[in-house]
Amino acid sequence: MKKFFMPLLATLAVTLYLIGFSPLAFADGIPGRNDENPNPPTGGTALLMANGIYNPADPSFTPPTPDEFDTLIMGRSETEKLERKQLAIGYFQARYGIDLTSGSADFGNILLMESVFDPRNNYRAYHLPISARDKGKIAKNGRIVYDRQFVMFVGALGLSSTLTGSWGGALGITVPPGTVAVDGDYLVQGSNHFRINHPRNLYLRFQSVDPIFNAASGDIKFNCVLLNKHGEIIGAAIGRQEFVALDIGNNLFQMAVQNIWQFPAPEWALP
């Protein structure tokens, strides 16, 4: 297996770089967890966009880890972190028939990875019906969106894999290397003030209802369901992400994202 080790590292590095998965920088402060949010959206739409331009190899940036997101942003205990991971593992098995309990599957060709969308991408929500007080207003500078993900990565050995579960069915559907599926957390800053348990912060869990193909290209489309803290589907996220190389000499790039949230969930997002 050693002959696969270095190609695997290179493949994962390129894939994570291009699709924007990188550890979190706390440039805008800590909004605090919001498991207690009493009023998640029930109707309306939200517009989210990412348009940051930056150098991912900037030596002045020290990337924290997804574990620090769980601890500092979500305020999760070690037990809660494990429970959240198990939820993701359970979803990948039910939806795609892949058991990632040990961290890998299909003889090591499918891996479970964890990541956070780099905040230098400037991911923000510009229209978000959090409460009646907001009245659907568009924030001038948007609201900061934190995006933490558990990723089912296909192709660690450069091979295709067959997915079954509720998506692939009993016979299964073969997907190419570079295919991913996600189960993650959105946390949207609901105020300009960073206070623990601020009632206008919004937490939503999201899951890809279809695999995301050709992820390493950086130009992808995704369809996700949005769930509340009880695991109930309350909305859907439909979006596109595009990798733009702006200045190769200075290693500047943009990971442009357009993401539309719909509440309540459309029919295709329901079980």
Side-chain angles (χ1 to χ4, degrees), residues 169-216:
L171 296 179
I173 299 175
T174 300
V175 297
T179 299
V180 302
V182 297
D183 185 324
D185 301 317
Y186 284 128
L187 185 68
V188 181
Q189 174 193 322
S191 169
N192 291 328
H193 302 287
F194 296 104
R195 299 203 303 269
I196 298 299
N197 294 329
H198 193 285
R200 294 177 68 199
N201 288 338
L202 174 67
Y203 168 77
L204 292 171
R205 180 183 173 191
F206 63 92
Q207 300 168 331
S208 54
V209 297
D210 304 298
I212 300 170
F213 298 106
N214 199 27

